[in-house]
Amino acid sequence: LFINSPSNNSEHQCIATMMAQLETTSDTPETAPLPQPIDSDDTTCSRFRYLCQEDVQETFFPAAHHIAPNQLVWVSCSNGSKHSKKQRLFGRARIVSGDVVVETNPTTSGPETEARVQVCYPSGSNYNVKSAHLHCVLEHAKNIILVIPETDLYRRTCQIHTLPNEDFLEIGCDVGLCCKRIADTGVVLLNNCKAAPDGQNKLDARRVVGIDKSDVSIAKAKARYPTMDWFHWDAVEGSRSDFSDLESLEPDVIALDINGNRELPAVLACINAIWNRHHWKPRLIIVKSRTLHQRVRDATTESQKL
């Protein structure tokens, strides 16, 4: 569903209009239409799809026994503890052959079989990796909003799906931990698995920018990571013209974390501002919000019942 843009009014009225609609209709924040982009001619733009993060694999990569060759993936590895199920992201790679190869390994309790897939790292090295350690990247997906309820998974998802050549913006960056993680992510040559000569695979010219309405948080981010771009700015009430660096920014991926316990209207207003106030056109929006995640989860469950 789309929110109608008020005719002959400033773009600065978009947020107020959305909130007024909630007050003057029977819709509650839990049932009101989710925000969608509107162009300057009051006609609808391409819709965004709201999707829970846990549904990405089934939605975009449904074949568990096969991954398409050349698919970009992140490879994870264990943290070193046999009892820990947590995995850390190791590096990007591309699928060489998507067919699962079953390997048999001898153990003290007898032979064990493992499903593995061959990948190629940027260095040109090929390895058979456990399929459970592969995380497919939404490399070519557009107009997607991924909704995540928890902080750790939110930051991990930002790292997985932000490409090395993409500009990244986080709204609600706090002290900068997620932005720093994105900035530190290793750079790979995406279009060729072979290593480029003379360091030519260092193609990362992207911008990583963090904004937050808390001056205290931004001061801490600047103190911790002084070489990065931080702005004390309100994404709902502010204007891109407040800072020339923001005015020229066209992020490919926008992450939104205005605290997981914020009420749903504040989260929806911020999403609406991305398109209809600031006219950013990201291919992917990643939102950390428990309330929105539950809303999208419930809607998905209902649609599956039909």
Side-chain angles (χ1 to χ4, degrees), residues 46-120:
S46 299
R47 291 175 56 88
F48 269 66
R49 179 178 183 178
Y50 288 76
L51 188 68
C52 291
Q53 185 276 336
E54 61 267 28
D55 295 331
V56 167
Q57 192 72 23
E58 181 180 349
T59 302
F60 293 97
F61 313 102
H65 63 283
H66 181 84
I67 304 176
N70 207 42
Q71 168 67 46
L72 183 65
V73 296
W74 268 92
V75 179
S76 63
C77 60
S78 65
N79 282 328
S81 172
K82 294 182 179 179
H83 305 290
S84 175
K85 295 184 178 180
K86 292 190 67 174
Q87 298 178 3
R88 64 179 178 86
L89 294 177
F90 171 71
R92 297 185 186 92
R94 286 201 182 273
I95 300 296
V96 176
S97 173
D99 296 321
V100 172
V101 177
V102 177
E103 293 186 352
T104 302
N105 301 317
T107 68
T108 55
S109 58
E112 289 185 352
T113 59
E114 295 179 334
R116 293 179 176 262
V117 176
Q118 189 177 62
V119 304
C120 178

Side-chain angles (χ1 to χ4, degrees), residues 210-228:
I211 63 175
D212 201 288
K213 65 187 299 184
S214 167
D215 57 346
V216 174
S217 294
I218 289 299
K220 290 180 178 179
K222 289 181 177 180
R224 288 186 178 194
Y225 315 114
T227 61
M228 297 180 62

